[in-house]
Amino acid sequence: MKQNYRMTLQYEGTKYNGWQKQGNTPNTIQARLEAILQKLDGTEVEVRGSGRTDAGVHARGQVASFALEHPLPAAEVMACLNRYLPRDIGVTALEEAEPRFHARLNARSKWYRYRIHQGAVPDVFGRRYSWPCPELLDTAAMEAAAAHLVGRLDFRSFCDQKNSKRSTVRRVDSITFSREGTDLVIDFRGEGFLYHMVRIMVGTLAEVGAHRLLPGQIPSILAAQDRKQAGPLAPACGLTLMEVEY
C-alpha cells in the first residue's frame, strides 16, 4: 500500500522556470523533486505543490505532498532529498500524512511577501530577492489603496487568467506594510491567489505610491474586470511564498 507524505521546502527560484514541470525540462522545482523520488522508489512519483510559483519566485514555506509505492521512514526520504537536491532547494520538514492529504486541495490560506528596495544605492547582496525601485513610494497612499483589495472580491483585473471561464473570486484577508531599512515589505494573506495576482497588486500599489494612480481608483479597476486597467506586473524576484496554512 502506498504511503502518503507531506513535506515543507524552501527554494531560491532565480534560475528555475517556476514550480510546475514543463515537458521534459528538468529546470523546475517539481521536476527536480520527482527525479530524485522516482529513483528512490523505482516508480513514477507525482509531487503536488500547494501552488505553482512563477519563474524566479522564491519560497520559504512551500508545502507539497507525494506518495511512495515502497514506503520508507520519513527521515530517510528527507535525507535522500537533501543529499541530491541542488543547494538552492532544501526540504525543511517531512512527515507521513493521511492518505487523503493533498497539499493544494487541503490548503486553507497562504502568506506571500513582496520586497521593494528603495533608494539610489543598489542592494548588491539582496538584488535577487527584491525589486529595485529608486522612487520613494508614498506608503500611506499605498495602504489606503490596499484597503480596497481586502475581502472576497472578483480579482479578474488583477490576474493573467488564461481560462476566462474559471472563477476569479478570491478572499484576501490582509495586506500589511512594514519597513526594513530601505526596503518596503508588503505581506499578503488570503485563501489563495490567482496567476500573477500578487505581482499585479504590487505593481498597481507601486503606481499609487508613485502618485500615478489614486487610492480611490482601485474600486473602479476592480469593477472593470479588465487586466489592462490595473498596474504593471512587478518583477518575480521580489516575491516569496512564506507559509501555507492547513
Side-chain angles (χ1 to χ4, degrees):
M1 182 177 178
K2 284 190 174 184
Q3 174 62 55
N4 200 26
Y5 297 86
R6 166 180 168 169
M7 69 175 163
T8 305
L9 63 152
Q10 53 186 215
Y11 46 86
E12 202 247 271
T14 302
K15 71 177 187 180
Y16 294 99
N17 295 322
W19 166 269
Q20 188 179 16
K21 61 184 178 183
Q22 303 169 31
N24 295 320
T25 176
N27 199 33
T28 67
I29 308 299
Q30 183 185 23
R32 294 280 186 172
L33 293 164
E34 290 182 353
I36 296 170
L37 290 171
Q38 285 169 189
K39 287 183 179 180
L40 178 66
D41 198 46
T43 61
E44 186 172 342
V45 178
E46 181 182 4
V47 178
R48 302 179 177 92
S50 69
R52 302 170 181 175
T53 51
D54 301 333
V57 173
H58 317 296
R60 287 188 175 272
Q62 173 70 288
V63 177
S65 56
F66 61 91
L68 297 181
E69 189 74 42
H70 307 98
L72 291 169
E76 186 174 335
V77 179
M78 179 174 171
C80 179
L81 284 165
N82 283 331
R83 184 180 304 120
Y84 293 108
L85 281 168
R87 294 178 64 185
D88 48 10
I89 307 174
V91 178
T92 58
L94 195 147
E95 61 187 6
E96 295 181 358
E98 295 296 322
R100 295 178 64 84
F101 175 75
H102 191 292
R104 179 176 60 84
L105 299 179
N106 295 137
R108 297 179 61 186
S109 66
K110 294 177 183 177
W111 166 23
Y112 279 94
R113 170 168 288 177
Y114 199 94
R115 185 177 295 272
I116 301 174
H117 177 69
Q118 299 200 266
V121 179
D123 182 0
V124 173
F125 297 104
R127 70 190 188 282
R128 292 185 173 184
Y129 315 106
S130 62
W131 173 17
C133 179
E135 293 180 273
L136 183 60
L137 300 175
D138 183 344
T139 307
M142 295 172 74
E143 288 178 327
H148 295 292
L149 296 171
V150 175
R152 182 170 289 280
L153 304 166
D154 190 333
F155 286 96
R156 187 171 296 277
S157 294
F158 290 86
C159 74
D160 290 317
Q161 191 75 279
K162 295 180 181 179
N163 185 347
S164 60
K165 294 182 179 181
R166 296 184 64 181
S167 173
T168 48
V169 175
R170 293 293 186 275
R171 188 193 75 237
V172 174
D173 296 321
S174 65
I175 304 174
T176 56
F177 297 75
S178 59
R179 289 275 180 182
E180 293 183 6
T182 56
D183 285 0
L184 175 60
V185 179
I186 313 175
D187 288 304
F188 298 82
R189 290 177 170 85
E191 66 175 352
F193 298 89
L194 300 160
Y195 182 49
H196 285 166
M197 179 174 159
V198 174
R199 291 167 59 192
I200 295 171
M201 287 196 290
V202 170
T204 305
L205 292 172
E207 290 291 286
V208 173
H211 298 156
R212 289 187 286 270
L213 284 176
L214 297 173
Q217 291 179 259
I218 300 299
S220 62
I221 294 174
L222 283 164
Q225 297 190 24
D226 180 0
R227 168 67 185 93
K228 295 178 182 179
Q229 299 301 310
L233 179 68
C237 59
L239 185 60
T240 301
L241 173 59
M242 301 296 290
E243 186 178 16
V244 183
E245 294 186 359
Y246 291 87

